[in-house]
Amino acid sequence: MEEIDLEMGPGYDDGTHFDSGAAQNLAIIGVNDHGLKPAPRKKKKVVKRWRDEWAETYKWAYVAVHEGSHRIFCSVCKEYGRKHRRNPYGNEGSRNMQMSALEEHNNSLLHKEALRLQMASRDRGMGIVERPLYVKDVSRQCTNEGYFQHTVSSLSILAAILRRDPHEVEFIQSIQEVVHSLEPVLAKVPQYVHVFERLVEPERVTIFKVPWVDDKGEAHVNRGFRVQFNQALGPYKGGLRFHPTVNLSVVKFLAFEQTLRNSLSSLSLGGGQGGSDFNPKGKSENEIMRFCYSFMEELYRHIGPNQVPIFDTPSGDIGVGQREIGYLFGQYRRLTSQYEGILGPKGIQWGASNLHSEATGYGVVYYAKEVLASLEKDLKGLRCVVSGAGKVALYAVEKLIAFGAIPVTVSDTSGYILDEGGFDRVKLGFIREIKAHNKCLRDYTKNYSSAKYFEDMKPWTVKCDVAFPCATQNELNHVDALSLINVGCQVIIEGANMPCTAEAIDVFRKSKVWFGPGKAANAGGVTIQGLEMSQNNSCAQWTAEEVDTRLEEVMKDIYQKSVKAAQDYGIGNPEALLDGANIASFLRVAQAMLEQGCV
């Protein structure tokens, strides 16, 4: 055992961070004939031993001499004490304080990312880098060649984002997922590191006040957002979301995802997203109309058609359907005296395409069909679990029924329905009627007594072959992922934007489960919007059958493009779906950015 001397002020070492056996290692300060002498209050010297059980408990820590003093270091980042958290006492503090600081650091995102990269380098036989990972511009300092060279670069990108936007959790999460997938790309083409650094910074962010008056004459104010993320491939295109959870982090993550989704769809469209923390639920028609009018009074300054400097075409998202788009478009037309298709989905009679509402949900199922075909399976007879009860979820259920699958669940914010016999068109129609009247899905059991409603629960413990998370971001965590694995789920297809947490995705990776990311699986909506723009320009109206056929072709192309991109960089199944989608979408945007220069 190694003895370590640390000088401390009184009260620094309370032993609260170690096990009870640690106290036995405190050296006796002094003894005389009368027994123990109390330690001086101003200064004491404590000798502790680096015990085997401490080394076992804190595998990520080690002891080394730094500038003549023993310090407790992080075994991954090679940093100590106040390098991770400033000591309130102004010094390195006691051993317990150092360990506490490192323990906090061990739970941080950067440490976990560093550890993941270190393990990846070991798995690939590259050895472990002996220098700190979390340093500025580490890509220029690290001399190791091969795989770890670019993983350090990707870590530095994450570190820069964390320093700049430390509280934007959703945005950081979306960046982290893509960075993981791009590691082999950054190794092969180092200049893409700098392209990615520019890509993750939005081109324009607008935040504005939205005042409105309710039916009682009381004034309210909400916050509006529009993030124009990247237009290297074409005009900004992305949704508007009205929901109380909307903030800058959520809008930026949605805009970033939209940029990659539009790239993957092969459309000449950039990415953007907007919205407000306004909640349309419980509001009257007049209140929603007044809010939409106020929202557009500011938004119209930042969107427009081809001839203006900023071409931005918003569309619907959560809380923004045909009704809200109608109010927004009407106010835009009044303010600009122009009739232009800059909002969607609109009414069929004034510019919308057939199957516009159905496109995302249908596309999710078409994508799942391609995944299952590669496994020599068919949707017919497969038991499917679906979360959500919005447009995407219900149209996904509709298409699953058409393919002969057995969807058994849908959910809302209060719980989920389980119908063991599966939904059919009649049952689905009743669910739509319930949601149209803003009622709880519990009412479903009044007509179908064999069904069960599970309050305040999620459907991920239900036995299934395929799962479709279609509700909202981060609805499925690592515990839910383990539950899906345990009930025999073989394929997970994201219908919502980033519905699975990073931890859940790690569970799927390690379990070798097929995982289709949302940026690929739910690209059907933006695909139809692109087709709609072509349709409007030609003053044509395509039939539902024509649109449906085109949608299925596009989803098949997205699947094949993702698999090919993964194969080009040596990534096998089932990781090919996630990594391939990220790689294929990034490469198209990155190439356009390189050709256009540093703008």
Side-chain angles (χ1 to χ4, degrees), residues 433-452:
E433 185 179 338
I434 292 172
K435 299 310 294 181
H437 291 86
N438 292 321
K439 294 181 179 179
C440 179
L441 287 175
R442 187 186 294 105
D443 291 353
Y444 180 88
T445 58
K446 295 178 181 178
N447 281 31
Y448 301 96
S449 57
S450 61
K452 297 179 181 179

Side-chain angles (χ1 to χ4, degrees), residues 122-138:
R122 179 188 295 128
D123 292 341
R124 296 176 184 238
M126 298 303 300
I128 296 180
V129 149
E130 294 299 325
R131 63 178 68 241
L133 294 183
Y134 182 33
V135 295
K136 279 190 176 182
D137 202 15
V138 69

Side-chain angles (χ1 to χ4, degrees), residues 152-214:
V152 170
S153 299
S154 64
L155 181 60
S156 68
I157 294 172
L158 278 177
I161 296 172
L162 280 166
R163 286 193 298 269
R164 187 169 57 234
D165 306 307
H167 305 299
E168 296 180 358
V169 179
E170 294 85 0
F171 180 58
I172 292 169
Q173 178 185 339
S174 64
I175 298 295
Q176 186 183 19
E177 176 202 296
V178 176
V179 165
H180 289 180
S181 299
L182 293 183
E183 286 166 1
V185 179
L186 302 181
K188 190 172 183 179
V189 188
Q191 63 181 329
Y192 281 154
V193 174
H194 304 294
V195 175
F196 191 75
E197 288 173 345
R198 288 191 284 129
L199 173 62
V200 297
E201 185 65 22
E203 294 179 359
R204 189 175 292 101
V205 176
T206 305
I207 303 176
F208 52 93
K209 178 176 67 174
V210 187
W212 59 281
V213 179
D214 64 19

Side-chain angles (χ1 to χ4, degrees), residues 84 91 101 166 331 492 503 533 596:
H84 302 300
N91 56 20
Q331 181 72 336
I492 293 92
E503 293 80 7
M533 294 168 69
Q596 295 170 22

Side-chain angles (χ1 to χ4, degrees), residues 60 71 101 132 162 179 210 216 285 382 450 455 457 539 546 548 569 585 587:
W60 42 268
R71 303 296 183 201
L162 280 166
V179 165
V210 187
K216 298 178 182 178
E285 291 279 338
L382 293 186
S450 61
E455 193 166 1
M457 295 181 67
C539 298
E546 289 175 319
D548 196 30
Y569 286 90
S585 58
L587 287 178

Side-chain angles (χ1 to χ4, degrees), residues 404-415:
I406 308 172
V408 295
T409 69
V410 290
S411 66
D412 57 16
T413 55
S414 301

